[in-house]
Amino acid sequence: MDTDRNKEIEQSLAASLKKGSVKAFDTIYKMYASKLLGYVSQATRNKEDAEEIVHDIFLDLWKSRERLQLDKGFKVLLFSLAYRRRIDYFRKHLKSPIFEDYANFQNDLVTTDDRPLEYNDFLKIFRKALEGLPEKYQRIIILSRFEELTNKEIAKKMNIKERTVANELSLALKYLRSELDRIKSKLYSDLF
């Protein structure tokens, strides 16, 4: 009986939303935003990214409101959109240089409990290792790995030659890997 009532409510909300009702949109938002945020946060592990994705999902809902097909209800529709956004998020981050560093670090790290090192934990380790480097190396790595700038863009931003950026980035990454290895060794000694 309760599911029939929920279906009626969703159909009413869908009809109002299709007509451009902001009140219906707000109601749907209040019903699903926090659930979607929890679902997306599991993938992003970053509150700001998760909030942005949820915002985009509801923006898409609003923009496509006149074409809505809600045979299975808002929950299925919204979580399907969220699922696709999670996949897009992973694809984007798989191409990221910092994610490549994480994957390499992950492959080299052996843990005793077969639990992989979480990406956010790696970022903490990475930032700790980064703090151990000279400031100019820190800046180049941040521009290269986090801001994903090319050597040419870094050279322009730092007002140095592109070749200098390439040389210093190479040295900075060498120091960083050494620092990561030191931290990794400490992790091993803490495990055993």
Side-chain angles (χ1 to χ4, degrees), residues 2-23:
D2 210 23
T3 56
D4 289 339
R5 178 72 182 130
N6 289 342
K7 193 172 184 179
E8 285 176 29
I9 291 170
E10 285 211 350
Q11 288 173 346
S12 174
L13 286 170
S16 296
L17 182 64
K18 283 183 177 186
K19 293 177 185 173
S21 169
V22 174
K23 186 176 180 182

Side-chain angles (χ1 to χ4, degrees), residues 108-124:
D108 293 342
L109 184 65
V110 178
T111 60
T112 55
D113 57 4
D114 292 330
R115 276 191 355 227
L117 180 70
E118 295 292 336
Y119 182 63
N120 280 349
D121 293 333
F122 169 76
L123 286 177
K124 289 175 190 170

Side-chain angles (χ1 to χ4, degrees), residues 169-181:
L169 181 57
S170 178
L171 283 172
L173 289 172
K174 183 178 176 183
Y175 281 117
L176 182 63
R177 284 187 191 99
S178 171
E179 192 65 17
L180 284 171
D181 285 342

Side-chain angles (χ1 to χ4, degrees), residues 88-146:
D88 291 344
Y89 182 86
F90 281 125
R91 283 186 182 137
K92 176 184 171 192
H93 284 82
L94 283 174
K95 296 176 185 174
S96 159
I98 189 70
F99 197 83
E100 288 176 27
D101 293 335
Y102 164 67
N104 291 334
F105 188 83
Q106 183 73 11
N107 289 337
D108 293 342
L109 184 65
V110 178
T111 60
T112 55
D113 57 4
D114 292 330
R115 276 191 355 227
L117 180 70
E118 295 292 336
Y119 182 63
N120 280 349
D121 293 333
F122 169 76
L123 286 177
K124 289 175 190 170
I125 292 168
F126 189 91
R127 287 191 172 108
K128 185 172 179 63
L130 192 60
E131 289 171 4
L133 302 180
E135 193 173 320
K136 71 177 182 176
Y137 290 162
Q138 287 181 30
R139 183 149 188 246
I140 286 177
I141 289 176
I142 288 169
L143 293 172
S144 171
R145 293 300 197 244
F146 289 96

Side-chain angles (χ1 to χ4, degrees), residues 17 29 32-34 36 42-44 57 63 78-79 85 92 104 107 113 120 124 126 146 160 165 184:
L17 182 64
Y29 183 87
Y32 294 104
S34 64
L36 286 171
Q42 291 172 349
T44 64
I57 290 168
K63 286 179 181 177
L78 293 171
F79 277 88
R85 295 285 178 142
K92 176 184 171 192
N104 291 334
N107 289 337
D113 57 4
N120 280 349
K124 289 175 190 170
F126 189 91
F146 289 96
I160 56 178
V165 171
K184 198 183 321 177

